[in-house]
Amino acid sequence: MEPLWHLRRMLWLELRRQGPDTLTRQLYRQLVDKILGGELPGGTRLPSSRELAAEHRIARNIVVAVFEQLLAEGYLEARAGSGTYVAQLRRPRHAPVPSAPAAEATPPPEPHRGGAVSFICGSPDVGLFPRARWLSCLRQVGFFRDAAMWDYAPPTGSPALRAEIAAHLRRTKGIDCTPGQIVVTAGTTAALTFVAHLLKHRRPGALVEDPVVGFVPALLAEAGHTIAPVPADASGLVVEQLPAKPRAGMVFVSPAHQFPLGATLPIPRRLALVDYARRHRLLIVEDDYDSEFRHEGAPVDSLCRLAPERVLHLGTFSKCLAPALRLGYVVLPAALVPAAVETAETLHLGVSRYTQEAMARFIGQGHLGRHIARMQRLYRRRMLRLRSALHARFGDAVTISGHSTGLHLVATFREVRFDSATRARLAAHGVAADTVDDFALGRPRHPGALALGYGHLAPPEIDEGARRLAAAIGRS
Amino acid sequence: MEPLWHLRRMLWLELRRQGPDTLTRQLYRQLVDKILGGELPGGTRLPSSRELAAEHRIARNIVVAVFEQLLAEGYLEARAGSGTYVAQLRRPRHAPVPSAPAAEATPPPEPHRGGAVSFICGSPDVGLFPRARWLSCLRQVGFFRDAAMWDYAPPTGSPALRAEIAAHLRRTKGIDCTPGQIVVTAGTTAALTFVAHLLKHRRPGALVEDPVVGFVPALLAEAGHTIAPVPADASGLVVEQLPAKPRAGMVFVSPAHQFPLGATLPIPRRLALVDYARRHRLLIVEDDYDSEFRHEGAPVDSLCRLAPERVLHLGTFSKCLAPALRLGYVVLPAALVPAAVETAETLHLGVSRYTQEAMARFIGQGHLGRHIARMQRLYRRRMLRLRSALHARFGDAVTISGHSTGLHLVATFREVRFDSATRARLAAHGVAADTVDDFALGRPRHPGALALGYGHLAPPEIDEGARRLAAAIGRS
């Protein structure tokens, strides 16, 4: 307990509750000094934030914040399941930013031991975020002599970014729109909130594919819409089951890669959906969260191509680049633009101006295209790796679907029901995953199906995860 | 029209509608080439974006975007009222970032000629935004080896930033709260939307001081609250006029610097307001948008000090630093924290993670405190400058009020009513300003009063603005 004693004495001696410096700063500085000064040598195990906070009667939040900062800066290392350690500081404190490594070059992290392998969907591999290129774009914006970069952004977004997004959509999604039809938002959730408010003044009520990611009904309801679920199956939204007399102004659908089922809506259903929407004067809200990563079959066009006059297309940079940017967009039918501008002004939608300008450069200079191409190859390999790992463990007792696109697939296990007992076994074996039925609005229909996100997992983690699934479900 | 001919021919020769490159990129590259190549020499006047777009049958949006980018990068110069010109490129394309100049050192821009002088409230002097320091904080975040910086942020905000905000509030506003009571939002508007949704599930309906900035009733109504205006006078909210039987769950008030009237709510009214809120079990939403800049009298405490259990304190970095960061926060009564976390998760409040981490560093390294101190001196000088300029022009025909704090003051002109005719004269004389009555919810009560924002105006612009006001209102 020598290091712990070190730490106690250090804080006990120097922690001041009065004076100019906050506890956070004091704790941060003192830990840094002791680490750089060698009093806390590499490998020293620190007490948990809980122990430390209790020990010194300070808010645990403060300790957590300081630990996170020191971990982030590389002073400390978290070892899964065994606590926080002082890092062996070989490199200088500020190593130069490495340019984003090629996928091949990623050092595969050693598989978790105590820590859980998480198949929870939704995150790309942020470890491969091209930090150097993004920072260079931020720097370019920083050089702007135009002070407006630091002022409020136009409510519908930066003209430069909207122009680049329009060009990007033409290149990658075959969407033909003007920058004026694009509204920049803080990701898909903000885009959906915006659309919900825009459309509720027109006609409230939403038909929503079921299953669906939880924030969709939540945000639509929060904005005042009633939700009517419409079942989705292995091919996506079951168009025949749309109500004959819809009490709604919109249909929410994810045709490129239904979440969570993973289906790509086939053309006959797309045509039927558009026809239905036209007959009932509905607008279609198309959530296109990860179609950039198409692993099998021909690329699929956006619904915008079929019905530009009634599709609101939601896109995001969270999956194809990084969630931390909080950047997404809506492509609107031209006729909705005036109302959309009004709603954007009412909601004060303005998104961080300099982030928008940096993204405009990031796209314009070709970095986004190159990053997507690199990640596409990487994610495809990971999808294949997970598929074969599951087949190796479960043979024909598992059926894989929804793997043609994106960052997750669906694994349906024969003669398995994911009830509380099964879930307890998953947890006990250190593997985390959502079931498809976790996303059910109405009756759960997929008792044996897991939605497995693999985009953020390195190959060894994927193998280890499959091993633990097998152990938990009783296949090894 | 020689230069115009240049430009036409260039685009006419080279603009391709097919091919890999967007019109934006083509227009951008061709203009840059011609400028650097000397075919468009410094001083060349460009046609307006409207002419150019019409001339070449491309969306005006595209031309605007390209012009803005070239202006921003310094290839072009806008001369107020006379159009866009090719810059005389003396310095290298990427000049090193100057560290933020001392207020004294600001080069006073030559007063506008054709362009309007705008007294519209709401913007700080973004020209003095400490870009170099902000970029260095962004760079520090960029060096993070913790990939989580690029992933989704916790819905209530980064622990590091919440800790720094809590410390900052203790130092600057005398607010004593834990990081756990703080929720980080994308500015005040997002904070208000968050609060509106948080409180509507408790008890809908809002008492709102009148006059008030327009987004307040708009966002509260959008979230499903009914609005009951309560008059504010030269001392702020008229507490005696609060309804005997309020059908509401909250009172919205800006006690530090009532917007637009500029009053600082006196202690007796504060005590009465808190007493009223306690009797009727109301929560108080305190909008504290610019109290960092106190020009006269002692600093005023937040209402949190009087009633920590029922005040929700809204703060923002838009006024004291820069709107482009889209960073604000809510300080919550401890009892509301669990519900707030739930609401933050439902609304998917997560704000850009790396921006939050950069701000945590910006505060922790003392940059924010230094910037506020510098701007405080600057804004005070500008307030005094505007006050004396108005007195010089109008003598005792003008009454100045609401100038003790912040970035705007109220000028009431004797025997003047700002009707459509007066407004037309203001526009004709090239001066823009909101009237106080523009912000009235109920009956307009201040026919002769203007809300004059001065924070963003250099001294010569302030003088010129006063001159034009005098000319428009008929005092010179």
Side-chain angles (χ1 to χ4, degrees), chain B residues 64-88:
Chain B
V64 170
V66 170
F67 271 25
E68 178 168 13
Q69 198 160 338
L70 294 172
L71 280 162
E73 288 177 288
Y75 288 111
L76 301 182
E77 286 169 354
R79 297 188 196 156
S82 81
T84 310
Y85 293 76
V86 176
Q88 304 289 358

Side-chain angles (χ1 to χ4, degrees), chain B residues 416 419-431 468 471-474:
Chain B
V416 175
D419 52 21
S420 51
T422 340
R423 288 163 175 280
R425 280 210 304 284
L426 288 179
H429 284 81
V431 58
R468 295 182 186 194
I473 299 175

Side-chain angles (χ1 to χ4, degrees), chain A residues 7 32 88 129 159 262 265 411:
Chain A
L7 192 57
V32 168
Q88 305 288 357
F129 176 74
L265 198 65

